[in-house]
Amino acid sequence: ALATLSQESQEIDASDAEDDPKIEAAAATLTAARDAANQAEQALADASAKSRAAEREVEAATRRLDDIQSRYQQAEQALAGLDLDGLTITAEDMAKTRQQAEQKVETCRQKAAETAAALESAQSAADAKSALATEKQAELTRIKAEKEALDAILSPQGEAASPVSGAITIDHGYEP
């Protein structure tokens, strides 16, 4: 029985030695997952900042477009009482400016849509990385608990006590 317990102790020590690389690999994977999650969060923050900037740009362009449209309407009203040749040139210039402003608003809206899509993609990546980090942390905790339980079973329980594994007996007929 002592030989069997000694052999079992050696097998457990070998198993612990085999688990150490797994624990280290799990810890490395966890660190990599955390780094990836941090990078994804940084990308999310960058995309969010770009989205806010694009929104501000759209708002500014919309205000400018509204201002140009207002001036255009005022110019059309004033045109009725003024020299048409001189005002025709001003109206054409304002129409060009309005068209340019409308194009800029459309470009800003497209940028805002692209930024929103990038933000959503970054959020999804961050969520996936966070879930992976949580899973790896749970696996690492489970492996550590199993190792501690095995160490507790195989080590002495007091100063004069022998290991718990020395108190285990095997009934007749159940020996390996």
Side-chain angles (χ1 to χ4, degrees), residues 42-43 60 68 158 174:
Q42 181 63 39
I68 290 170
Y174 289 102

Side-chain angles (χ1 to χ4, degrees), residues 1-154:
L2 239 98
T4 302
L5 287 176
S6 175
Q7 182 182 357
E8 286 177 5
S9 176
Q10 289 173 356
E11 289 173 3
I12 289 173
D13 288 343
S15 174
D16 282 352
E18 290 174 11
D19 285 344
D20 286 343
K22 290 178 185 177
I23 290 172
E24 291 173 7
T29 302
L30 177 61
T31 300
R34 282 187 180 145
D35 290 344
N38 288 340
Q39 290 173 354
E41 287 176 4
Q42 181 63 39
L44 177 62
D46 291 345
S48 179
K50 287 179 184 178
S51 175
R52 286 190 299 274
E55 288 174 3
R56 286 190 300 271
E57 202 171 342
V58 166
E59 290 172 4
T62 301
R63 282 192 302 271
R64 182 168 177 192
L65 179 61
D66 290 343
D67 181 51
I68 290 170
Q69 286 175 340
S70 174
R71 284 194 273 157
Y72 182 78
Q73 289 173 353
Q74 290 172 358
E76 282 183 340
Q77 291 171 358
L79 183 61
L82 298 176
D83 177 26
L84 294 179
D85 292 336
L87 291 178
T88 303
I89 294 171
T90 302
E92 290 173 358
D93 289 342
M94 294 199 87
K96 287 179 185 177
T97 304
R98 178 182 175 184
Q99 185 180 15
Q100 290 171 349
E102 287 174 345
Q103 289 174 345
K104 186 168 183 169
V105 166
E106 185 58 36
T107 301
C108 290
R109 285 184 180 146
Q110 289 173 352
K111 285 182 182 179
E114 292 171 1
T115 303
L119 179 63
E120 186 177 335
S121 175
Q123 181 65 44
S124 295
D127 290 345
K129 297 297 181 177
S130 179
L132 179 62
T134 301
E135 181 182 327
K136 293 302 177 180
Q137 181 63 42
E139 184 177 332
L140 181 62
T141 302
R142 182 189 53 80
I143 289 172
K144 285 181 179 178
E146 288 176 359
K147 182 182 181 304
E148 289 174 8
L150 287 173
D151 287 341
I153 289 173
L154 296 175

